[in-house]
Amino acid sequence: RVGFSTLGLQTYLTAGPKETRAWTIPVGATAPEAAGVIHTDFQRGFIKAEIVSFEDLIAAGPMADAKAAGKVRMEGKDYVMKDGDVVTFRTGRTSGGKKW
């Protein structure tokens, strides 16, 4: 944590049925910028981000329980990511014509 703080970096997480992964982004990165770390098409086609804090997710259990408890929120393009956010990105059509 001290190294990340010194370098101005933070971590956010993505989780799905096959994989959970941590991604490194600069402190102050917006949701679209964070999506772009995964793939540039995600940044270009960004619509919104479904976000829950890591602490809230651990306390609630599965994502469905966190949603039922009102801990999951939708954020837009201006949202500044926080260290430990667990995110599902919603994207639209990209320049390649594929829908993610």
Side-chain angles (χ1 to χ4, degrees), residues 36-51:
V37 170
I38 298 172
H39 196 285
T40 55
D41 283 346
F42 285 14
Q43 184 171 3
R44 283 194 297 263
F46 180 90
I47 296 172
K48 59 187 171 183
E50 191 173 285
I51 298 179

Side-chain angles (χ1 to χ4, degrees), residues 79-96:
Y79 177 73
V80 177
M81 299 292 291
K82 295 180 180 64
D83 191 50
D85 280 344
V86 181
V87 185
T88 302
F89 292 108
R90 305 293 179 204
T91 63
R93 294 207 179 269
T94 61
S95 60

Side-chain angles (χ1 to χ4, degrees), residues 23-77:
W23 302 87
T24 302
I25 56 173
V27 171
T30 62
E33 291 168 338
V37 170
I38 298 172
H39 196 285
T40 55
D41 283 346
F42 285 14
Q43 184 171 3
R44 283 194 297 263
F46 180 90
I47 296 172
K48 59 187 171 183
E50 191 173 285
I51 298 179
V52 61
S53 74
F54 179 78
E55 292 80 14
D56 287 343
L57 184 59
I58 292 300
M63 185 65 92
D65 292 350
K67 285 180 183 180
K71 299 295 183 180
V72 178
R73 62 194 186 280
M74 294 296 191
E75 297 288 353
K77 293 181 179 185

